[in-house]
């Protein structure tokens, strides 16, 4: 799960500081995760947030395909339906789930 969260964060265009905010960790914890020193555990709040982040990445990929740059653009662009920029919104508690719900509701053939 740790590698998946790090990969999802990178592919969504999140800087380490942003990923730390999403997971409610500090930057040192992200560095420790990368070094393999501090793995995420699914039974922790940070682990649960990581699982949601991975699901966001999967749902976005289902909507934009394997075009990583398109996914990064979507994350960095203002979204009227969500009321902000997804990359910023997911750094708050409630909005992480809202972004996932939005992506799951989006119809893949129409895109997002």
């Amino acid at each position: 799960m740790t590698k998946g969260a790090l990969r999802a964060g990178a592919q969504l265009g999140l800087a380490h500081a942003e990923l730390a905010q999403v997971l409610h960790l500090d930057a040192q914890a992200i560095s420790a995760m990368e070094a393999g020193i501090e793995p995420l555990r699914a039974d922790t709040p940070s682990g649960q947030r990581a699982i949601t982040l991975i699901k966001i990445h999967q749902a976005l990929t289902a909507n934009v395909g394997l075009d990583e740059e398109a996914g990064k653009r979507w994350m960095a662009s203002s979204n009227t339906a969500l009321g902000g920029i997804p990359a910023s919104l997911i750094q708050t508690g409630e909005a992480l789930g809202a972004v996932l719900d939005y992506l799951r509701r989006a119809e893949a053939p129409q895109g997002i």
Side-chain angles (χ1 to χ4, degrees):
M1 176 176 55
T2 302
K3 288 182 182 179
L6 292 169
R7 186 173 33 252
Q11 291 179 350
L12 293 173
L14 300 176
H16 280 168
E18 293 169 322
L19 180 58
Q21 283 288 111
V22 170
L23 301 180
H24 290 175
L25 297 170
D26 58 34
Q28 290 176 339
I30 301 298
S31 295
M33 287 168 46
E34 285 185 319
I37 298 169
E38 187 70 34
L40 284 169
R41 293 186 13 227
D43 63 344
T44 65
S46 294
Q48 290 299 303
R49 293 181 66 76
I51 290 168
T52 303
L53 180 68
I54 292 167
K55 289 178 180 179
I56 285 172
H57 177 257
Q58 292 169 337
L60 184 57
T61 300
N63 282 285
V64 301
L66 297 175
D67 185 348
E68 189 176 319
E69 292 306 312
K72 287 179 181 179
R73 280 191 304 275
W74 185 84
M75 288 295 292
S77 299
S78 183
N79 182 297
T80 306
L82 290 170
I85 298 170
S88 297
L89 293 171
I90 65 173
Q91 295 177 47
T92 67
E94 316 77 47
L96 187 67
V99 171
L100 177 58
D101 290 343
Y102 174 85
L103 287 168
R104 285 182 168 166
R105 285 191 313 268
E107 295 181 29
Q110 291 181 335
I112 47 178

